[in-house]
Each structure stands twice: as C-alpha cells, then as structure tokens.
Amino acid sequence: NKHKPWIETTYHGIVTENDDKVLLDPPLIALDKDAPLRYAESFEVTLTEEGEICGFRIHGQNVPFEAVVLDKSTGEGVIRTKDKLDCELQKEHTFTIQAYDCGEGPDGANMKKSHKATVHIQVNDINEYSPVFKEKSYKATVIEGKKYDSILKVEAVDADCSFQFSQICNYEIVTPDVPFTIDKDGFIKNTEKLSYGKERMYKLTVTAYDCGKNRASEDVLVKISVKPTCKPSWQGFNKRIEYEPGTGSLALFPSMHLETCDEPITSIQANIELETNHIGKGCDRDTYSEKSLHKLCGASSGTVELLPAPSSSANWTVGLPTDNGHDSDQVFEFNGTQAIKVPDGMVSTSLKEPFTISVWMRHGPGAHEKETILCNSDKTEMNRHHYSLYVHNCRLILLLRQDPSEAENYKPAEFHWKLDQVCDKEWHHYVLNVEFPTVSLFVDGTTFEPFLVTEDYPLHASKIETQLTIGACWQGGNARMAQFFRGNLAGLMIRSGKLENKNVIDCLYTCKEGLDVQLPEEVASAVKVEFNPNQSSLTVEGDDIDAFDKVMQHISYLNSRQFPTPGIRHLRISTTVKCFSEESCVTVPDTEGYVMVLQPEEPKISLSGIDHFARSAAEFESQEGVTLFPELRIVSTITREVEADTESEAAEGADDDPTVQETMVSEEIMHNLDTCEVTVVGDELDGEHESLEVDMSQLQQHGLEMSSSNLGLVITGVNTMANYEQVLHLIRYKNWHTEALFDRKFKLICSELNGRYISNDFKVEVNVIHTANPVEHANNAMVQPNFINPVHHASVDLSGHNLVNAHQASVVPSAATIVIVVCVSFLVFMIILGVFRIRAAHQRTMRDQENGKENEMDWDDSALTITVNPMEV
C-alpha cells in the first residue's frame, strides 16, 4: 500500500431544501494506484482487494452533510444531508472532505489518506413563503383636481431565500372600478382628476405576487383621502345664524378660522358688515311714535309731530300710503303727486326764537326740480315761501325768509348742504338746529357745515295767513301744490324755542341692534378692533392668525329690543392679507351669510274688569262724575311651547284627545304701553252736557299726554302697564243733564309699539238709575244698591230702564205719587180676585180653570212691568 487515494481539490454541489441528495460537480470519485489486497480491510470499510476506497471523511463544525461510498472498487461516493436544510437559515455550506483506502492486511494497517478537498454546496430554495406587506394599512391624502405621478408606495416582502421566490414581481388593486392604478414596484397613482364633491375617501384593497406567482397571504387596505383644493378662505362658518329674541348676545362665528394654505402672512384686516338697511329706517329701533321717542331720549316738551299715525285726533295723514307701522316704523310714501296740509295752529314758529326740525328721509336721485319736504307759504293771493326745507340736485336746502323789519338789509336766507346721503336711496336722520342767523345740520349724528349761504331781503309786510304743507309747497296765488317730493318721510318734527342737544340726537339715531365683541385678555393687545358709530360694522386688524381667529370667534350679534323686528340681516366679511412675497400672496374671497331674527313671541294684551254697572243720576251730575274703569286690570301674556313631560303624559292615559296641545303654556310678561284710547259707542259726546275727564296732574306725573274730542280721549306716552292702569282708573264720565239718559257705552283699547300689538276691545256699559222723589234723592242715592257685574258673571238685564220714555221721566213728582197709589190699589184688588177664584175653582170647568190660569199669568206679567221699586218709596 504505497500510494494515497486521490480526489479532486474542489467540489461544487447543489441541494434542494426538501431533498437530501447533493449534486456535485465534479462527481465524488477517489482513485488509488495500489494493487488490491484480499485481506486488506479497515474498521470502517472492508476491501477485498488492495487499492479499494473504504470511505470519505468530512471535516468541519456542525456540518449537516455526510459522505457515503457507493462502490469501493471504483471509489465512487455521494454526499447527502443528515437533516432537511432551510435555505432561509443558510444558503451555502463549505467544508472539507478526505478519502482513505482500506490499508494492508485484514486489520487495515498502513491506511492511506488523500489530501483534503474543499466542498462548496449551495442550498436551492423552494417557494414556501407568500408575500407579506410591511404595513397593516396605508393612508394618503391628495388634493382634488390634480393628477399625481405617484400618490404613495405599498411594499410587500417574501421570506424565501432565493431571488426568484423572494422578489415581488407584481402588485394588483383588487377593488374594482376605482380611478387608481399600481405598478410592479408598488407605486399607486390616480388615473383621473379626483373631485372632493364626488368622493371624499377611497378605500382600496391591494395584493402582491412573488415571482413564483404566490399571492400575498393577506391583502392590505389603502385609504386615499381627497382634500378640497386649498383655497384661502374662512372655514367653519355657518351661513345661517338664527337669533331668538330676548337671548342677549349671540356669537356669530364660534368655530371659524382663516385658511391661508400655509402661505406666510404678515398682516390681516377683516371688515364685518351687518346689513340692516331694509329693517325699519336703516336698522331695528323702537317703533314708538316719534313724539314718544323724543321724550324717551330726554328731549324737552313742546314737540309737534307733523306726520303722526292717522287717528281720530290727527287725521291729516290718512290719505298717505304707509307700512301700517306693525313690524317697523311708521313711514309715509310720497310719489310726486301727493301732499298734505297741516291744520292751522299746529305749529307756531317765530324765527326770532331758536327751533329744531328733525326728519327721517329716504330719497334717491330725482329730477332736476325742487322737491319740498316742508313748506310754509302764503295761503292766498301770493306765492311767497316764508320757510321751507327741500332737496335739489342732491342738495339739502333750508329757506328762511325774515319777517319785515325796520332795517331793510340783506340777511342769510338759504343754507345749502351738498350731501351724498340725500340721493343714496337709504334712510338717514336729519336734524336742523336753527338759531338765526346760524343753522347746524346733523346727519346720522354727524355735523355738516353748509357749503353755501345766500342772502336776501326780508319779506314785505302782509296780513296774509300762511299754510304749512308736507310733500309739496302750496302756491296761494294759484291755489295749487307745486314742487312735489318723491321718496319716503317719517318722524317729521318741529320744536319751537328749544335746541336738540347732541345726546338727544345720538339717542334718536342709535340702533337697538348691532355687532359686539368681547376681546379675550390673551389677545387684546395683539389685535385692534374699531366700530362704526351705529355698530353695524367693525374692522379687525392683526398679524397673528391664531389671535385673529380668537377675536373673530368672539364677535356677536345683539338686539336689545324686547320685540325685535323679525327677518334677515345679511352679513359680509371682507378680508385683506399681506404676505412676505407680494407675488405669491393669497387672496381671501368675501364671505357672506345672514342672521335670521326669529319671530318674537307675540304678547296678548288683555283688558278686564267691570263691564256693566249702574249708578244714580246724582253721581253722574256730581263734581267727581262716574269712574268708568274702577277695577280695570291690564295683563299681557305670551304662549310658549315647552317640552312635554313623557312620564306625566303616560300617567294621563292614552284616552286623552291627541289634538290637545299639551306643550303650550301661557306665561305672563311685563312690557310697556304707548297708547290707550277710550271711545264712546253710539252717539258722539255732546260737549254741552257731558264729558270725559282725567286728572291732568296724574298724567303729567307719569309723563303721559292726553288729547280729547267728541269721540273720546286718547292717552299717549311710553309707560308701564301698571302706570297706565292707575291713570285709566281716574277716567271719569260726567253728565249734568241726565233726565233723558238711561245708559252710555264706552270702549277701551290699549296698544304697544305704535299699534304693533293691540289689546282686546274692553266695552263698558253704564246705566243711570233715576229716583222718584228729588227731595229724597240724596238719601236714596246713599242707600240704593249699585248693580255691579264682573266680566265673568252673567250681567243683570237692566234694559227695563230703557222702556221709560222721555215724557214719563219728566213727569212732576205729584203725578208720580198718584201713579204709585193707583198701582198699589190695583195690586190689592188682584189679590182679592185671586182668592175668590181659588175658592170657586172646583165648581168651574176645565176651560174656566185654563182661563183662570191665563188670568193669573197676566197678573204676574203686570207685576214685572213696574219700573219703580215700591219698597224704596
């Protein structure tokens, strides 16, 4: 055994994960040049001939392979795995191998070993794993209207060790009919421009395949949100904001913020406008009469209202179209053909004393002719204008012609103001303070100086009376109207001898609704806020967006009226921003919305008390007279809807009428009144022998005024219901010629807010009780009962007094005594006759009995027709 076995120096092998046989290149063969020995054998392999290969030995640590001799004589062998291999754990194995022969002799002595050869074995992969996505889900956000090259990337991995089976060869969107596609690398993009209005979020299911065509074990969810195109604007603004009357201040923009699309902003300015021009005379104000408003604002007395609401005492405005003054102020329309004459004596203005003219006016661009608001001119013969207020070519002009004087000098006669307000078709408040030779004009509380003052001679002396007109000027020489006004007027007032101070003017113009803001302390120094005079608009300026947003969120709407005018108030936000880069600076569009002032709960004003009573004639003729409303009660209630208690409803049972509104409750409220009118029902009052009177000192104490006519009396002024009750309790009816009077009826109506809310008609009937003997008249008046009937009881029928005619009422006392004696005698006679008939009843026939009953009924009737109570005689 002279030679060593020989093998290749290097081997390369391949084995598959699920196989134990290794394919080697070159094959494993050991060669030996020694002759074979028959007795040569080894402890591992016994060779029958010298030179045979007994085995192979593998060197290495934890080598999962073994080498086996297939043919000793040829030296052919194989390498195989001890256990199944895992390519994912180890893809390649390297170790050394050595062959040895069988040696000499039967005990294998002198065994020879070959050199060590290196073996490289690669473990081939099988596709045992499926792709797995790296994330449980994917999210992305896109902006509408944009087509993306790539929105996001999904990625899956495969645990297989080989390139073929570990690589992801394909991705696929499983969800059908979606505007997205995915490429082999997992990039998703949209196939069309997306719309936020069409779909705000897409949910896609995506799967993956490896190169061995294994599908992912679990598909993945992809959420793609569509974001509206970023447009700089105010976000979180509710366009309709409902305001419930009586709730105080209401935040208009509680959740609003400014979206700037990440553009760096250096400053922001926002102007918030509350449009109320269509409400009343430019905004919501108290709708009392102009005279009452002047008094509420602290104006002095002596005001003459030239455009009052039509009534029995002021009827010269009846022919003018109005809005009826229900939900808003009483305004009058002049269409260029209408004018009214103010009754003589209403105004006594002397230019030697200061006086004030105030008016609300809405006027648009008109013809190039004079349009007269107020004019005092000659009533007959001539056409001289003593003073007038008119508009001409968007100018307001006041004409003041001086009365004749000793000095025939030029004096200021016409004062001209050029004003945009005259022709802008909006309501404006004009106040002219005249203290000759100077005139001050206030428009909406702001002072304006005349741009032109012309002079003229005083008027010539004349005894011609003057005529005061509104809406045109009276031409006395032609006996016709001229210079007609086209527009709307309201609250035309003249006050002689007193000047309106600035506080009164501001009070008359101030709105009861407007914008308000309570600045948070942390942003008060960072933001500047400015209001216009009537708080219908405000401007906010700042450079900190967060602070700016907080201020905007604290802007509120406030209406302090108890019964505001319902309807829409438009809102507009105009915003200007400045950026670091003017070229790329954003533009914020105007934002519009509206405040809806809901209909207030309408109060129901109820008048109640004694509606039918009788008094003696002496009381009517007395100095005090008869109190008409001794127990009058004024109550105002509103009907409010409340949430029904479900438990109480269940307890009431299911048999209740389902039509009954169990959720409506009546609630008493307190508010003011501005008018109460007492009118006579039937014939007008005859001033020669009857009157309605009231304590004037009590009226003045409560700041109320009274006007009377032959139809009744009217009490005006804004005051509480309790004070009106006290005054109405004092109204007395006097009649100092009661012989022909047996009853008188009156009607009382009270109202609030210039007729917006009107009470029920409370009617009172007063009966006159006549006594028979005038000598005992005073004593009888003390003891006779007053027939008083509250409203809720049935009234006693006192109509029997009306059966007595005037002739009977005027009979002398002696004749009345004779009539009483005759009646008593007749009564005694009838009683005797009745007793006689009862005794003879059993002897008479049925017909006689019936005749007897009829006669008895006649007797009863005759007793009831007596008009004088014999017990009082």
Side-chain angles (χ1 to χ4, degrees):
N1 190 15
K2 297 178 180 179
H3 300 90
K4 298 178 181 180
W6 176 90
I7 57 176
E8 298 287 345
T9 58
T10 303
Y11 293 91
H12 293 276
I14 297 174
V15 63
T16 305
E17 282 183 312
N18 61 353
D19 196 1
D20 61 350
K21 186 177 181 181
V22 179
L23 299 177
L24 285 178
D25 181 29
L28 183 58
I29 298 175
L31 301 176
D32 196 330
K33 294 181 180 180
D34 293 321
L37 298 175
R38 296 188 179 184
Y39 50 83
E41 56 182 35
S42 70
F43 65 93
E44 290 184 357
V45 180
T46 302
L47 297 177
T48 58
E49 296 181 2
E50 188 176 326
E52 290 184 345
I53 301 301
C54 281
F56 297 94
R57 182 171 294 170
I58 293 176
H59 301 276
Q61 187 175 2
N62 298 325
V63 179
F65 296 95
E66 61 181 1
V68 179
V69 177
L70 296 180
D71 189 340
K72 293 181 178 182
S73 59
T74 60
E76 182 180 357
V78 294
I79 296 176
R80 59 189 181 189
T81 63
K82 295 178 180 179
D83 298 307
K84 287 187 177 181
L85 300 179
D86 190 347
C87 174
E88 287 71 33
L89 295 178
Q90 189 170 346
K91 293 182 179 181
E92 295 182 350
H93 296 268
T94 302
F95 53 90
T96 57
I97 191 171
Q98 193 176 30
Y100 57 91
D101 58 18
C102 296
E104 299 177 355
D107 55 357
N110 198 20
M111 179 183 61
K112 300 289 186 180
K113 298 179 181 179
S114 69
H115 61 274
K116 293 180 179 180
T118 302
V119 180
H120 300 281
I121 297 178
Q122 178 181 332
V123 181
N124 277 355
D125 187 26
I126 61 172
N127 197 6
E128 56 184 323
Y129 292 100
S130 298
V132 176
F133 286 95
K134 287 186 174 182
E135 305 290 341
K136 291 184 178 180
S137 63
Y138 293 86
K139 294 181 181 180
T141 301
V142 297
I143 298 176
E144 66 173 345
K146 184 177 179 181
K147 205 167 181 180
Y148 289 82
D149 293 332
S150 174
I151 297 175
L152 77 159
K153 179 183 180 181
V154 297
E155 187 175 359
V157 295
D158 195 309
D160 289 313
C161 64
S162 64
F163 177 82
Q164 177 183 5
F165 298 138
S166 65
Q167 292 300 308
I168 307 300
C169 283
N170 188 30
Y171 291 93
E172 181 181 332
I173 298 175
V174 180
T175 306
D177 302 326
V178 289
F180 298 94
T181 185
I182 189 170
D183 62 15
K184 63 182 182 61
D185 296 320
F187 289 100
I188 298 176
K189 65 179 180 179
N190 53 323
T191 58
E192 62 184 44
K193 294 180 180 180
L194 305 178
S195 171
Y196 177 79
K198 181 179 179 181
E199 192 72 45
R200 298 187 179 185
M201 176 181 285
Y202 290 90
K203 295 181 179 180
L204 315 177
T205 301
V206 176
T207 192
Y209 293 91
D210 62 20
C211 294
K213 296 186 178 180
N214 265 8
R215 180 172 174 169
S217 56
E218 290 185 9
D219 298 338
V220 72
L221 178 63
V222 179
K223 295 180 180 179
I224 300 178
S225 300
V226 181
K227 186 179 179 180
T229 303
C230 186
K231 299 175 181 178
S233 62
W234 289 103
Q235 303 289 328
F237 171 50
N238 189 2
K239 290 190 175 182
R240 177 186 169 98
I241 304 150
E242 291 188 352
Y243 180 81
E244 185 175 349
T247 56
S249 182
L250 173 68
L252 296 175
F253 322 113
S255 304
M256 193 167 71
H257 67 277
L258 181 62
E259 174 61 61
T260 60
C261 297
D262 299 327
E263 181 70 28
I265 303 296
T266 58
S267 67
I268 315 169
Q269 182 185 71
N271 184 53
I272 299 92
E273 288 185 77
L274 179 71
E275 296 182 2
T276 59
N277 294 338
H278 60 292
I279 302 296
K281 297 191 292 287
C283 66
D284 212 1
R285 297 180 176 89
D286 284 330
T287 55
Y288 295 118
S289 68
E290 197 69 21
K291 194 170 185 178
S292 297
L293 290 174
H294 275 67
K295 186 169 292 187
L296 287 174
C297 287
S300 56
S301 59
T303 301
V304 179
E305 191 170 6
L306 299 182
L307 284 175
S311 65
S312 58
S313 59
N315 57 3
W316 63 86
T317 58
V318 170
L320 293 176
T322 71
D323 67 348
N324 297 323
H326 288 311
D327 287 341
S328 58
D329 303 89
Q330 182 107 32
V331 299
F332 296 89
E333 180 182 354
F334 294 84
N335 59 12
T337 62
Q338 297 168 314
I340 57 174
K341 294 181 178 181
V342 178
D344 295 338
M346 290 295 298
V347 179
S348 58
T349 301
S350 172
L351 299 183
K352 296 178 181 179
E353 296 180 354
F355 68 95
T356 301
I357 300 175
S358 66
V359 66
W360 285 93
M361 181 175 70
R362 179 170 60 187
H363 181 263
H368 299 293
E369 301 175 356
K370 294 181 179 180
E371 297 181 47
T372 301
I373 301 169
L374 177 69
C375 180
N376 190 37
S377 59
D378 289 332
K379 183 176 287 188
T380 58
E381 299 182 22
M382 290 189 286
N383 298 329
R384 297 180 305 170
H385 297 181
H386 294 252
Y387 65 85
S388 68
L389 180 66
Y390 62 94
V391 295
H392 187 211
N393 291 330
C394 295
R395 298 179 183 182
L396 182 69
I397 303 170
L398 176 67
L399 169 68
L400 289 174
R401 297 295 302 276
Q402 291 297 299
D403 292 332
S405 62
E406 296 180 358
E408 296 291 331
N409 298 327
Y410 271 111
K411 293 185 178 180
E414 279 191 337
F415 300 82
H416 297 245
W417 292 271
K418 191 170 184 180
L419 303 168
D420 295 334
Q421 292 90 332
V422 172
C423 294
D424 64 1
K425 294 184 179 180
E426 301 290 347
W427 279 107
H428 297 285
H429 186 233
Y430 301 84
V431 176
L432 292 102
N433 279 336
V434 181
E435 192 168 14
F436 196 81
T438 62
V439 179
S440 301
L441 172 66
F442 296 86
V443 181
D444 298 337
T446 303
T447 306
F448 289 86
E449 295 295 330
F451 81 96
L452 175 66
V453 178
T454 61
E455 296 182 342
D456 201 349
Y457 283 109
L459 294 172
H460 297 293
S462 171
K463 295 183 179 180
I464 301 174
E465 295 182 353
T466 59
Q467 175 65 58
L468 185 61
T469 55
I470 301 172
C473 203
W474 176 252
Q475 306 284 40
N478 304 328
R480 64 179 181 86
M481 294 285 187
Q483 301 174 7
F484 286 94
F485 179 78
R486 294 175 179 83
N488 296 96
L489 298 176
L492 179 57
M493 311 283 290
I494 287 187
R495 173 177 289 106
S496 299
K498 297 290 183 180
L499 286 172
E500 295 280 21
N501 62 50
K502 186 65 166 59
N503 292 335
V504 174
I505 294 172
D506 290 341
C507 174
L508 291 172
Y509 176 69
T510 300
C511 297
K512 294 292 185 178
E513 64 178 340
L515 300 173
D516 192 18
V517 61
Q518 298 295 330
L519 290 179
E521 293 182 2
E522 62 271 18
V523 299
S525 60
V527 177
K528 180 182 178 183
V529 179
E530 292 182 350
F531 287 89
N532 72 335
N534 61 356
Q535 291 191 285
S536 62
S537 71
L538 62 87
T539 301
V540 184
E541 294 183 22
D543 52 14
D544 186 332
I545 293 181
D546 292 336
F548 202 92
D549 288 344
K550 285 185 179 180
V551 172
M552 294 293 289
Q553 291 166 7
H554 283 78
I555 295 176
S556 59
Y557 169 79
L558 177 64
N559 195 315
S560 59
R561 293 189 65 194
Q562 186 176 10
F563 305 109
T565 304
I568 290 175
R569 278 77 163 161
H570 289 282
L571 277 172
R572 177 179 289 108
I573 304 175
S574 305
T575 310
T576 303
V577 297
K578 293 183 179 179
C579 312
F580 288 102
S581 174
E582 293 297 330
E583 295 180 358
S584 62
C585 194
V586 297
T587 301
V588 180
D590 291 352
T591 302
E592 295 185 356
Y594 62 92
V595 177
M596 172 60 76
V597 178
L598 302 179
Q599 181 77 35
E601 303 283 354
E602 293 200 6
K604 180 181 179 183
I605 306 172
S606 301
L607 309 179
S608 61
I610 301 172
D611 68 340
H612 194 182
F613 58 91
R615 294 288 186 272
S616 65
E619 292 187 48
F620 287 93
E621 296 175 358
S622 66
Q623 185 67 28
E624 291 78 15
V626 174
T627 302
L628 288 183
F629 312 106
E631 297 183 15
L632 178 69
R633 181 87 171 94
I634 305 177
V635 177
S636 184
T637 58
I638 58 173
T639 302
R640 192 185 301 276
E641 186 174 355
V642 298
E643 294 184 2
D645 188 350
T646 55
E647 295 181 0
S648 61
E649 288 182 355
E652 290 175 2
D655 297 334
D656 293 340
D657 186 358
T659 62
V660 178
Q661 297 182 359
E662 297 178 348
T663 58
M664 306 299 290
V665 297
S666 184
E667 178 181 334
E668 184 174 343
I669 63 169
M670 301 300 295
H671 58 77
N672 291 330
L673 298 176
D674 60 359
T675 304
C676 280
E677 184 174 3
V678 181
T679 55
V680 62
V681 179
D683 296 337
E684 296 180 357
L685 292 173
D686 188 345
E688 294 184 0
H689 65 266
E690 61 180 340
S691 66
L692 284 174
E693 298 180 0
V694 66
D695 190 340
M696 294 304 296
S697 63
Q698 290 291 329
L699 276 178
Q700 294 173 359
Q701 182 179 343
H702 291 100
L704 300 175
E705 296 183 1
M706 188 268 289
S707 61
S708 60
S709 67
N710 57 354
L711 298 178
L713 59 83
V714 180
I715 300 174
T716 58
V718 181
N719 218 313
T720 64
M721 293 187 293
N723 286 341
Y724 261 95
E725 271 187 14
Q726 294 179 16
V727 172
L728 291 172
H729 287 166
L730 302 176
I731 294 179
R732 303 181 304 275
Y733 171 66
K734 296 173 65 176
N735 191 312
W736 46 93
H737 187 67
T738 59
E739 290 84 357
L741 179 68
F742 297 96
D743 60 42
R744 207 66 161 113
K745 297 178 180 178
F746 300 90
K747 180 176 69 174
L748 172 65
I749 298 177
C750 293
S751 65
E752 162 71 334
L753 293 173
N754 209 15
R756 181 175 175 184
Y757 302 117
I758 303 175
S759 72
N760 60 307
D761 293 355
F762 180 63
K763 296 181 179 179
V764 172
E765 180 178 346
V766 184
N767 295 107
V768 182
I769 301 176
H770 296 276
T771 56
N773 193 343
V775 177
E776 301 176 355
H777 182 82
N779 294 332
N780 293 337
M782 296 295 293
V783 299
Q784 73 176 8
N786 295 332
F787 301 101
I788 299 176
N789 302 302
V791 173
H792 56 273
H793 293 303
S795 300
V796 176
D797 187 4
L798 299 177
S799 60
H801 296 289
N802 297 330
L803 298 177
V804 184
N805 57 40
H807 174 74
Q808 292 172 331
S810 62
V811 176
V812 294
S814 59
T817 304
I818 295 172
V819 171
I820 294 173
V821 172
V822 172
C823 290
V824 172
S825 301
F826 180 73
L827 178 61
V828 173
F829 171 75
M830 292 299 296
I831 293 173
I832 296 172
L833 181 61
V835 173
F836 174 78
R837 287 180 177 177
I838 292 173
R839 289 181 178 180
H842 65 282
Q843 299 176 355
R844 296 184 180 181
T845 61
M846 185 62 65
R847 181 177 179 181
D848 293 333
Q849 292 175 1
E850 292 176 354
N851 291 336
K853 292 179 181 180
E854 291 175 359
N855 292 333
E856 289 172 5
M857 292 301 295
D858 293 338
W859 172 78
D860 291 336
D861 290 341
S862 65
L864 288 175
T865 58
I866 299 174
T867 59
V868 179
N869 189 349
M871 300 301 296
E872 293 184 357
V873 179

